[in-house]
């Protein structure tokens, strides 16, 4: 709930667990007085910074000096929006150049309103729900008719704060936004570590933890997408916090393009965070009468450690972000053709894939890359979204799936074009090039200039024709390169700084049209594995392919770390041909994700198929209740322990699944594994040893890991069910 404390001139965002206080000072600046666990009472005058080098005297016009009565410390006080090119040098989230070239950007409070819910953002993915309240401040630039709406939302049932800015130009002239980030947050302590998730293709999201130091630290992407190299999910962990204790503050952005998380700390050992769209090569011409909306930044606050932060993000994503409503129903077990045959298949081989896949219990057959245009190799086809009838009779393949009661899904890479394609020959201007003819090709493909609405329409019409002609239940949406040069043939010189953001808006406009028109089709995001694993994509796609690395030894690290910020229910995870474990164990591993299969099914033995069928039964019995809708606990990290252990508990605590993967053949140095989240008074039956104990036994003494000697990469599923 949000209340305005008129006596103290403070906006109080409070859900009974967390509290966010914003003081409107007498000069019209919004001071962030407090953000943390709820407290009973506060006195704003005692909570603001005093002393320090900053003078309380400032000069208004150069010819007179005024003593500022409210003791406001420019450049030192925590504020919601720093002034730029003036006395606050910490780095403002917004920089809006004047026509005369001046960079001064100085917004002052005009009014505020408080309402239930959260503002829907027109052309951007955003949070939804009535279980929250928003305060919207109207601020005016000191010298011109330029306004900012600054919105801060607090959720009632989860410890999530959302911020964003909207800039409105009523100056009568164009202005240029040279930085348009979504939020600022100033915190009074430096005693945190900064945790971010760096990586590359097939090694996404390695957790990197560095102490927050004096100066600037940045995490971001300038590759046109959120990227495999860094993820928009980052968190600050107080130095003494752990998995389930201590202060942790997580950040994410509902955005899929370039981003920058910047943290600055100065002599006073406070930290100043700005977060939003990366300002590298960003210049947005905002015409008179127009507004620019920044993506929503999501802040998760926990005083119960990293898992507390994760639980906020997980429930937020499931309840207030994903818009695909059919995921509330049963999600079919998926088989994907890619790893089995890549681009090399025939009609007969695909029919045989369906026959064999059916024997493993799968319920959705997905035909990956290679079904369209002249796509026999990766030099051609992208941009030509019509079925290659010489290779395939798609109606027959779909009918064949239906005979087994299977649904059918198909792969697209809508934002790409091959140089040899018919689309390129007809519309070379659709390709994103460099300045002049310099355009680097990677994976033999170019990007389509999605800042160009004609190009987006063209792809929309082609995809629509396929969807209308064939019975399609699922679409995998891939993106297999990065933006290198970012010059658009469609925009003049003044607007080239808009290309990256316009490309991201183009991606959203196509996704939004298709998902609205075909609400029953489930779209799965993908980008060379998990290079666009972000909240922007999740708004439309309830699941995202997490990585092209399916070997459980490596994938365990990717899944463990990804699940700190995102729920297992959206993390595409498949069983593949990896030799490290048998099929039974690999399938148990994949259960802690969306679950699916991806291999040549002709090579499966009877024993393999039996193992997969057994796991399909487990999937049907437990997945929705315990893994998708349950609560996740991280128990052992494959990066720091010799184990990968995760636990899920269903909502009424009658059932828990624990995935145990041993990485090394050795006597475990932690003999007992204490479980979490069970009901201490309920009795649970252990499927591995047939014993029955109370929840408090499992949580206080734990599971004895030394009961049996385990082989390296042995994977087991412990099921506890109430008796
Ligand atoms: C990259 C994806 O991550 C794979 O799963 C597969 O779809 C290929 N692209 C197809 O080109």
């Amino acid at each position: 709930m949000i209340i305005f404390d008129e006596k103290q001139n403070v906006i109080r965002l409070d859900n009974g667990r967390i509290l966010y206080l914003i003081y409107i000072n007498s000069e019209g600046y919004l001071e962030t007085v407090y953000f943390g666990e709820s407290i009973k009472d506060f006195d704003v005058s005692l909570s603001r910074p005093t002393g320090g080098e900053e003078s309380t005297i400032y000069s208004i016009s150069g010819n007179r000096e005024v003593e500022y009565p409210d003791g406001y410390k420019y450049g030192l006080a925590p504020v919601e929006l720093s002034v730029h090119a003036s006395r606050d040098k910490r780095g403002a989230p917004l920089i809006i150049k004047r026509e005369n070239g001046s960079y001064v950007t100085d917004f002052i409070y005009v009014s505020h309103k408080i309402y239930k819910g959260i503002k829907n953002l027109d052309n951007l993915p955003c949070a939804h729900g009535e279980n929250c309240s928003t305060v919207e401040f109207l601020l005016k630039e000191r010298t011109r008719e330029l306004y900012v709406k600054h919105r801060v939302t607090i959720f009632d049932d989860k410890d999530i704060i959302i911020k964003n800015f909207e800039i409105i130009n009523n100056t009568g002239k164009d202005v240029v936004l040279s930085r348009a980030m979504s939020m600022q947050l100033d915190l009074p302590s430096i005693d945190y570590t900064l945790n971010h998730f760096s990586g590359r293709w097939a090694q996404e999201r390695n957790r990197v933890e560095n102490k927050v130091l004096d100066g600037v630290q940045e995490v971001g992407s300038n590759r046109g997408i959120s990227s495999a190299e860094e993820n928009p999910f980052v968190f600050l962990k107080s130095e003494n916090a752990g998995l389930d204790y201590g202060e942790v503050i997580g950040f994410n952005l509902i955005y899929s393009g370039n981003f920058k998380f910047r943290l600055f700390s100065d002599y006073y050992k406070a930290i100043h965070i700005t977060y939003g769209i990366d300002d590298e090569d960003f210049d947005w011409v905002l015409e008179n009468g127009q507004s620019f909306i920044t993506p929503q930044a999501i802040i998760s606050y926990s005083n119960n450690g990293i898992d507390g932060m994760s639980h906020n993000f997980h429930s937020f994503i499931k309840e207030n972000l994903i818009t695909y409503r059919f995921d509330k129903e049963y999600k079919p077990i998926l088989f994907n053709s890619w790893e089995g045959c890549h681009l090399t298949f025939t009609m007969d081989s695909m029919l045989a894939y369906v026959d064999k896949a059916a024997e493993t219990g799968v319920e959705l057959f997905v035909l990956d890359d290679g079904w369209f245009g002249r796509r026999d190799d990766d030099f051609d086809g992208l941009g030509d979204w019509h079925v290659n009838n010489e290779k395939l009779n798609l109606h027959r393949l779909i009918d064949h799936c239906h005979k087994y009661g299977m649904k059918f899904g198909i792969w697209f890479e809508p934002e790409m074009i091959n140089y040899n394609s018919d689309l390129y020959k007809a519309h070379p201007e659709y390709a994103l090039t460099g300045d002049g003819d310099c355009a680097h090709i990677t994976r033999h493909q170019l990007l389509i200039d999605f800042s160009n609405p004609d190009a987006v329409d063209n792809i929309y019409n082609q995809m629509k024709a396929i969807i209308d002609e064939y019975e399609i239940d699922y679409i995998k949406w891939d993106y297999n390169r990065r933006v290198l040069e970012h010059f658009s043939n469609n925009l003049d010189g003044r607007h080239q700084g808009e290309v990256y953001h316009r490309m991201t808006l183009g991606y959203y406009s196509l996704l939004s049209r298709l998902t609205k028109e075909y609400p029953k089709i489930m779209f799965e995001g993908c980008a060379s594995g998990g290079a666009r694993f972000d909240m922007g994509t999740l708004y439309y796609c309830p699941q995202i392919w997490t990585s092209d690395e399916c070997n459980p030894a490596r994938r365990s690290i990717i899944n463990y770390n990804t699940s700190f910020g995102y729920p297992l229910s959206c993390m595409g995870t498949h069983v593949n041909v990896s030799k490290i474990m048998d099929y039974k164990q690999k399938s148990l591993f994949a259960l802690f994700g969306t679950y699916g299969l991806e291999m040549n099914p002709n090579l499966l033995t009877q024993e393999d198929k039996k193992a997969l069928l057994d796991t399909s039964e487990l999937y049907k019995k437990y997945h929705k209740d315990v893994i998708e809708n349950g609560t996740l606990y991280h128990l052992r990290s494959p990066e720091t322990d010799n184990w990968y252990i995760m636990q899920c508990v269903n909502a009424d605590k009658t059932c828990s699944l624990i995935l145990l993967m041993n990485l090394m053949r050795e006597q475990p140095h932690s003999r007992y594994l204490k479980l979490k989240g069970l009901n201490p008074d309920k009795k649970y039956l252990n499927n591995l040893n047939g014993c029955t104990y109370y929840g408090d036994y499992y949580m206080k003494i734990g599971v004895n890991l030394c009961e049996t000697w385990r082989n390296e990469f042995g994977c087991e599923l412990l099921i506890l069910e109430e008796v």
Side-chain angles (χ1 to χ4, degrees):
M1 118 169 129
I2 304 180
I3 47 171
F4 179 40
D5 174 345
E6 288 187 41
K7 231 167 89 206
Q8 302 203 67
N9 227 22
V10 165
I11 303 286
R12 183 183 180 124
L13 298 95
D14 193 349
N15 67 10
R17 297 174 308 277
I18 61 165
L19 175 66
Y20 196 110
L21 298 177
I22 301 170
Y23 169 54
I24 308 160
N25 75 23
S26 57
E27 190 66 6
Y29 294 102
L30 302 178
E31 295 188 35
T32 316
V33 177
Y34 176 76
F35 175 42
E37 278 197 306
S38 281
I39 46 175
K40 280 185 214 67
D41 207 0
F42 68 96
D43 178 343
V44 75
S45 62
L46 301 177
S47 323
R48 301 169 60 223
T50 52
E53 294 264 300
E54 292 288 308
S55 164
T56 53
I57 309 286
Y58 77 107
S59 164
I60 280 187
S61 62
N63 59 11
R64 66 192 177 105
E65 286 192 346
V66 176
E67 186 165 351
Y68 178 55
D70 205 4
Y72 173 46
K73 301 289 182 187
Y74 278 94
L76 176 66
V79 283
E80 290 292 296
L81 176 54
S82 280
V83 174
H84 182 74
S86 185
R87 287 188 63 186
D88 188 341
K89 304 308 276 186
R90 293 171 292 185
L94 302 178
I95 304 177
I96 304 159
K97 274 171 84 173
R98 288 180 71 165
E99 215 202 15
N100 67 4
S102 161
Y103 286 94
V104 174
T105 311
D106 185 1
F107 285 98
I108 311 289
Y109 172 86
V110 176
S111 62
H112 73 265
K113 59 179 183 186
I114 294 169
Y115 51 86
K116 188 106 190 97
I118 182 163
K119 167 106 171 81
N120 188 50
L121 308 184
D122 305 336
N123 52 0
L124 282 169
C126 57
H128 52 83
E130 282 300 305
N131 50 341
C132 56
S133 314
T134 300
V135 55
E136 182 176 295
F137 296 98
L138 181 68
L139 312 173
K140 183 185 170 301
E141 216 279 336
R142 193 181 278 281
T143 58
R144 35 191 173 157
E145 292 293 313
L146 188 62
Y147 294 89
V148 160
K149 285 185 178 165
H150 169 42
R151 303 187 186 98
V152 190
T153 299
I154 186 167
F155 277 77
D156 307 332
D157 56 348
K158 45 188 76 89
D159 297 339
I160 291 277
I161 297 282
I162 299 189
K163 290 183 158 196
N164 91 317
F165 296 117
E166 177 175 348
I167 302 132
I168 302 146
N169 180 10
N170 287 336
T171 62
K173 297 174 183 141
D174 293 355
V175 294
V176 177
L177 315 184
S178 49
R179 186 182 295 156
M181 290 190 163
S182 301
M183 61 154 260
Q184 169 171 338
L185 181 66
D186 294 335
L187 297 169
S189 159
I190 196 179
D191 298 327
Y192 295 99
T193 59
L194 171 62
N195 293 255
H196 60 104
F197 297 88
S198 75
R200 63 160 171 81
W201 172 76
Q203 289 210 3
E204 297 88 346
R205 290 173 287 287
N206 297 278
R207 178 173 157 200
V208 180
E209 179 168 12
N210 291 318
K211 185 161 171 25
V212 173
L213 301 168
D214 287 347
V216 173
Q217 276 157 283
E218 280 180 7
V219 176
S221 163
N222 60 0
R223 293 156 201 267
I225 51 171
S226 48
S227 90
E229 285 72 13
E230 289 290 351
N231 192 271
F233 162 52
V234 298
F235 66 89
L236 295 176
K237 182 172 92 55
S238 72
E239 282 181 353
N240 55 4
L243 275 171
D244 52 12
Y245 56 89
E247 189 182 56
V248 179
I249 308 174
F251 300 84
N252 210 325
L253 200 62
I254 308 184
Y255 193 59
S256 310
N258 291 350
F259 69 93
K260 186 193 279 182
F261 178 90
R262 179 182 184 271
L263 195 152
F264 169 68
S265 173
D266 63 12
Y267 172 81
Y268 297 102
K269 307 283 181 235
I271 55 180
H272 170 81
I273 296 164
T274 47
Y275 192 20
I277 296 175
D278 184 18
D279 56 357
E280 182 181 299
D281 298 350
F282 175 87
D283 277 309
W284 188 276
V285 180
L286 192 64
E287 289 172 16
N288 182 45
Q290 286 187 344
S291 70
F292 183 91
I293 300 179
T294 64
Q296 289 170 340
I298 317 298
I299 307 170
S300 163
Y301 184 87
S302 160
N303 218 355
N304 297 311
I306 300 174
D307 271 352
M309 168 204 62
S310 300
H311 295 161
N312 292 330
F313 277 137
H314 293 177
S315 59
F316 169 74
I317 289 170
K318 289 193 268 193
E319 293 155 21
N320 302 100
L321 181 64
I322 291 173
T323 48
Y324 178 77
R325 283 298 130 209
F326 284 82
D327 73 338
K328 294 268 172 241
E329 292 166 14
Y330 175 76
K331 273 193 201 173
I333 301 174
L334 181 159
F335 178 93
N336 181 294
S337 66
W338 177 249
E339 287 209 14
C341 57
H342 295 120
L343 299 166
T344 312
F345 57 85
T346 61
M347 185 64 204
D348 286 344
S349 71
M350 265 311 109
L351 293 174
Y353 263 46
V354 175
D355 294 334
K356 292 286 181 298
E359 293 176 34
T360 62
V362 302
E363 300 156 318
L364 163 67
F365 185 87
V366 179
L367 178 58
D368 208 279
D369 197 351
W371 57 269
F372 52 92
R374 290 178 296 269
R375 188 72 167 171
D376 295 323
D377 54 35
D378 53 14
F379 286 84
D380 203 347
L382 295 174
D384 299 340
W385 298 107
H386 51 84
V387 176
N388 180 342
N389 291 317
E390 283 168 27
K391 203 173 184 177
L392 210 64
N393 178 337
L394 194 55
H395 282 300
R396 197 172 147 216
L397 182 64
I398 295 174
D399 287 346
H400 199 61
C401 292
H402 291 168
K403 270 187 219 148
Y404 287 105
M406 278 185 213
K407 297 182 175 213
F408 179 77
I410 202 157
W411 179 96
F412 282 96
E413 194 176 1
E415 296 146 278
M416 301 290 164
I417 188 166
N418 281 119
Y419 187 69
N420 294 321
S421 66
D422 293 339
L423 184 67
Y424 186 84
K425 283 172 200 141
H427 289 288
E429 78 283 7
Y430 283 177
L432 192 73
T433 63
D435 186 2
D437 59 0
C438 161
H440 286 96
I441 295 186
T442 62
R443 214 201 189 212
H444 318 296
Q445 63 196 58
L446 290 158
L447 285 132
I448 297 183
D449 178 1
F450 258 47
S451 74
N452 177 351
D454 285 350
V456 177
D457 279 350
N458 183 300
I459 299 300
Y460 163 78
N461 288 327
Q462 292 196 57
M463 290 179 76
K464 184 172 165 46
I466 294 285
I467 299 170
D468 288 342
E469 182 172 350
Y470 297 94
E471 229 176 295
I472 288 171
D473 303 293
Y474 160 106
I475 287 176
K476 179 172 171 188
W477 185 303
D478 209 341
Y479 182 107
N480 282 302
R481 62 160 292 177
R482 311 288 174 265
V483 178
L484 299 176
E485 295 80 18
H486 53 87
F487 186 84
S488 166
N489 290 305
N490 186 49
L491 296 169
D492 65 26
R494 272 181 91 216
H495 294 274
Q496 290 297 331
E498 300 171 14
V499 173
Y500 276 123
H501 184 54
R502 286 193 184 278
M503 298 262 296
T504 306
L505 294 179
Y507 166 56
Y508 293 147
S509 81
L510 184 57
L511 253 174
S512 134
R513 277 161 93 176
L514 291 170
T515 49
K516 277 198 186 112
E517 231 166 290
Y518 303 99
K520 290 191 181 174
I521 297 180
M522 179 165 81
F523 287 72
E524 174 155 1
C526 176
S528 301
R532 193 156 56 181
F533 205 112
D534 57 59
M535 286 192 171
T537 298
L538 283 172
Y539 177 79
Y540 306 97
C541 306
Q543 58 192 52
I544 304 176
W545 183 227
T546 314
S547 176
D548 276 344
E549 177 58 88
C550 288
N551 177 334
R554 204 24 253 174
R555 184 52 111 79
S556 60
I557 297 174
I558 299 167
N559 277 21
Y560 196 85
N561 289 336
T562 304
S563 66
F564 281 131
Y566 305 91
L568 294 178
S569 56
C570 70
M571 289 169 44
T573 306
H574 296 171
V575 182
N576 83 339
V577 77
S578 154
K579 299 275 181 291
I580 207 151
M581 306 170 173
D582 62 28
Y583 274 99
K584 176 169 180 223
Q585 302 187 62
K586 284 187 289 192
S587 61
L588 295 177
F589 175 86
L591 263 188
F592 273 61
T594 56
Y595 191 62
L597 313 182
E598 185 154 349
M599 77 283 287
N600 179 347
N602 298 306
L603 303 179
L604 295 171
T605 64
Q606 281 311 112
E607 194 188 338
D608 299 338
K609 282 186 258 189
K610 164 82 175 65
L612 292 170
L613 262 181
D614 288 348
T615 306
S616 294
E617 289 311 311
L618 290 175
Y619 176 88
K620 288 173 195 158
K621 188 161 176 203
Y622 296 111
H623 201 266
K624 176 115 259 160
D625 182 37
V626 189
I627 294 180
E628 289 177 38
N629 296 335
T631 304
L632 171 69
Y633 298 92
H634 296 87
L635 300 184
R636 295 280 188 280
S637 163
E639 274 181 319
T640 50
D641 300 297
N642 287 333
W643 290 88
Y644 164 67
I645 307 181
M646 302 228 257
Q647 179 192 4
C648 289
V649 185
N650 69 351
D652 55 12
K653 302 185 181 212
T654 54
C655 183
S656 178
L657 300 190
I658 301 102
L659 179 70
L660 300 130
M661 184 169 116
N662 188 25
L663 300 177
M664 220 179 255
R665 183 176 160 80
E666 62 158 25
Q667 193 81 10
H669 49 246
S670 50
R671 189 178 166 84
Y672 288 100
L673 172 74
K674 289 185 186 173
L675 301 183
K676 295 181 183 169
L678 300 171
N679 182 334
D681 303 321
K682 281 193 200 298
K683 266 193 163 182
Y684 297 90
L685 174 68
N686 174 334
N687 71 317
L688 294 181
N689 63 11
C691 296
T692 304
Y693 296 110
Y694 282 104
D696 67 348
Y697 169 88
Y698 286 111
M699 294 193 290
K700 295 208 165 89
I701 292 183
V703 178
N704 186 350
L705 295 177
C706 298
E707 261 179 353
T708 54
W709 186 260
R710 292 170 164 90
N711 284 330
E712 59 269 38
F713 304 115
C715 202
E716 287 168 288
L717 184 69
L718 167 60
I719 304 174
L720 297 181
E721 275 181 293
E722 189 189 5
V723 283

